Amino acid sequence: GQQVMQIPQYQHVQEGEDFTTYCNSSTTLSNIQWYKQRPGGHPVFLIQLVKSGEVKKQKRLTFQFGEAKKNSSLHITATQTTDVGTYFCAVYGGATNKLIFGTGTLLAVQP
Amino acid sequence: DGGITQSPKYLFRKEGQNVTLSCEQNLNHDAMYWYRQDPGQGLRLIYYSQIVNDFQKGDIAEGYSVSREKKESFPLTVTSAQKNPTAFYLCASNKGTTFSGSYEQYFGPGTRLTVT
């Protein structure tokens, strides 16, 4: 079945440093979604990307969809302690009508 | 307020007992999903339902059962056949699929099940 690889698995940064997580697929994607899960909480939808090369920004967060629609990235500028959590990408499973979640990247921010 | 509710937040059971986790949504969503999350792990799909009275197995359905008799409700039963049931269970819903993929999913707060 379709698989989505997410790297890194874990990242520890000092507050104010930048952070990037990557999501890679072996097949072309119709779209990609990003979610954030705070420690002890539940995933919360952040954004969806649909177009090749698309770039969307939410304050300090920048989301990018690759030109070939096989990869995506989430970049956080000047991290804050409120950014702590696990970031998941999710892709549409096509005929199975389900979302396939990546393995997630756990971000730790040291004040 | 619209949203998804899961109850209880924490649940403790003895090995060999079946247990049913509740999931209710008032978002008028057609599709509902159950995921399992183990510590430090991602989300694994257990069962999902695109419409009332219909559901499909996910990637790890063995030892679990579901029903979808009402649009608002999608309870999950963890049976005694599930070998390692202790985990964090998350319910989600969405409007279904779009022309280019899937609508975003809304998650409930989750139920932490401990079986000893």
Side-chain angles (χ1 to χ4, degrees):
Chain A
Q2 185 170 27
Q3 288 189 331
V4 179
M5 297 300 296
Q6 210 174 330
I7 54 171
Q9 280 191 317
Y10 173 77
Q11 182 100 46
H12 179 226
V13 300
Q14 294 283 333
E15 190 171 20
E17 291 182 338
D18 291 356
F19 159 77
T20 304
T21 175
Y22 301 90
C23 191
N24 299 302
S25 169
S26 57
T27 59
T28 302
L29 304 171
S30 56
N31 64 14
I32 192 162
Q33 299 177 3
W34 285 93
Y35 293 78
K36 176 185 178 181
Q37 184 177 22
R38 293 181 187 273
H42 59 276
V44 174
F45 173 78
L46 294 175
I47 209 160
Q48 176 166 275
L49 304 173
V50 178
K51 299 176 184 175
S52 167
E54 188 170 17
V55 178
K56 287 189 176 180
K57 293 191 176 185
Q58 290 179 350
K59 297 183 180 178
R60 294 178 295 103
L61 276 61
T62 301
F63 303 85
Q64 190 163 359
F65 205 3
E67 291 291 340
K69 299 182 76 173
K70 288 187 176 182
N71 56 73
S72 179
S73 65
L74 158 57
H75 179 82
I76 302 178
T77 303
T79 54
Q80 300 175 358
T81 54
T82 54
D83 296 325
V84 164
T86 301
Y87 293 85
F88 293 99
C89 60
V91 302
Y92 178 54
T96 57
N97 287 334
K98 61 184 183 182
L99 273 182
I100 299 168
F101 282 83
T103 46
T105 296
L106 174 59
L107 172 63
V109 180
Q110 185 167 353
Chain B
D1 279 341
I4 301 178
T5 56
Q6 290 185 246
S7 60
K9 189 171 183 179
Y10 298 95
L11 190 54
F12 299 88
R13 280 292 183 270
K14 293 289 187 185
E15 201 172 299
Q17 293 179 335
N18 291 355
V19 59
T20 297
L21 310 184
S22 164
C23 177
E24 304 278 331
Q25 55 100 357
N26 60 4
L27 299 168
N28 199 32
H29 286 169
D30 287 317
M32 297 187 73
Y33 308 81
W34 273 106
Y35 295 91
R36 169 182 172 140
Q37 187 174 38
D38 294 285
Q41 302 296 312
L43 302 171
R44 292 189 288 170
L45 183 64
I46 305 172
Y47 268 99
Y48 62 109
S49 168
Q50 300 290 309
I51 198 168
V52 175
N53 292 321
D54 189 37
F55 49 82
Q56 290 78 39
K57 291 182 179 180
D59 302 315
I60 56 165
E62 186 175 347
Y64 300 97
S65 66
V66 293
S67 63
R68 186 85 187 276
E69 297 175 1
K70 297 188 299 182
K71 187 176 186 177
E72 304 79 19
S73 179
F74 191 39
L76 172 74
T77 297
V78 184
T79 75
S80 56
Q82 169 50 234
K83 290 181 171 44
N84 188 16
T86 295
F88 185 42
Y89 290 89
L90 287 157
C91 178
S93 73
N94 69 359
K95 289 193 255 186
T97 55
T98 69
F99 176 74
S100 59
S102 173
Y103 286 100
E104 68 267 27
Q105 291 192 358
Y106 294 80
F107 285 81
T111 293
R112 293 191 184 276
L113 173 65
T114 302
V115 177
T116 57

